[in-house]
Amino acid sequence: MADSGIMHMLRLVFALSILLACTSVVQAQERTMKSDAPGTLRVWPQIGHWQVVLFRGDKGPNDLICLLGTAVVKTPGNFSYLWGIVERNSVTGLIIDDKNKFAVSGNNISVVVDGVPIGTYPITKHHSNNVQKMIISELSNSSALRIESLFVSGGKVEFKTGEATYSESLSGAGKEINNFHDCVNELGNLIGK
């Protein structure tokens, strides 16, 4: 599910989305790219601290990815870390991308909702470069459904690695889960699944 081009794209798309969400005046602009070029296809409105993005990766016209995430942006266009839920090739996973490479150490991502441990999921994908490190834990269908359901009903979520805890209010996440499902449905319709 992870490769260097996609991870770079995830970072750029999400940082840009956060930057645009924080900008008070944005003029309507359009640049038309080659129809199968990597890039953002759709950005749903940010609700609370969560946002959904559909984009095309660099593996061809059917390499479509949905991301539901939150990030800490220290300076416009430059995030310190982002984390959330990602879907690619009909596989849902937990994703953490951090400039502090030690923060994403360990073998698992644990999920806690409202102080209750939900599960511990082995890290199945790693990617790092000289600036950031990304980890992904691919989920079974039942685990993905349980976590998505708790994003709707819960108050606070935590993703824990061996060295760090990422936490955020789930205020607005229920509506973003609906947007994430819309994104996944659109992804399937676009590639004909």
Side-chain angles (χ1 to χ4, degrees):
M1 193 158 62
D3 58 59
S4 61
I6 295 304
M7 298 309 110
H8 180 68
M9 181 71 63
L10 274 171
R11 289 185 200 104
L12 291 177
V13 167
F14 202 79
L16 179 60
S17 297
I18 296 296
L19 174 64
L20 290 176
C22 297
T23 304
S24 60
V25 177
V26 178
Q27 296 180 1
Q29 298 182 28
E30 185 173 329
R31 176 181 64 212
T32 304
M33 299 292 288
K34 186 175 142 185
S35 64
D36 62 349
T40 303
L41 300 176
R42 182 172 177 193
V43 178
W44 279 257
Q46 181 178 341
I47 302 173
H49 294 275
W50 299 91
Q51 189 161 29
V52 174
V53 179
L54 169 65
F55 62 94
R56 180 179 291 113
D58 60 0
K59 300 291 184 195
N62 290 336
D63 183 23
L64 303 179
I65 303 161
C66 290
L67 171 69
L68 164 62
T70 186
V72 168
V73 180
K74 296 291 185 183
T75 59
N78 186 13
F79 67 89
S80 293
Y81 57 85
L82 71 83
W83 56 285
I85 300 172
V86 66
E87 173 129 355
R88 182 182 189 197
N89 297 328
S90 300
V91 177
T92 303
L94 308 173
I95 184 171
I96 303 172
D97 190 355
D98 200 322
K99 285 186 176 179
N100 181 341
K101 295 179 182 185
F102 298 108
V104 289
S105 63
N107 298 316
N108 304 296
I109 298 175
S110 296
V111 177
V112 176
V113 175
D114 295 333
V116 178
I118 303 306
T120 299
Y121 308 95
I123 295 169
T124 54
K125 305 281 183 184
H126 295 265
H127 171 74
S128 80
N129 57 32
N130 60 351
V131 178
Q132 295 190 232
K133 182 175 180 182
M134 177 185 307
I135 55 175
I136 296 175
S137 293
E138 294 176 336
L139 301 172
S140 68
N141 287 340
S142 61
S143 293
L145 289 173
R146 182 176 185 210
I147 291 170
E148 290 173 12
S149 177
L150 288 165
F151 263 60
V152 173
S153 62
K156 179 181 178 181
V157 64
E158 298 175 355
F159 284 14
K160 295 183 175 191
T161 66
E163 297 295 326
T165 299
Y166 302 82
S167 60
E168 183 62 73
S169 165
L170 287 169
S171 176
K175 290 181 181 177
E176 286 294 0
I177 281 292
N178 290 334
N179 290 341
F180 183 70
H181 291 158
D182 288 346
C183 181
V184 171
N185 288 334
E186 183 175 341
L187 182 153
N189 288 328
L190 289 170
I191 62 174
K193 286 190 176 181

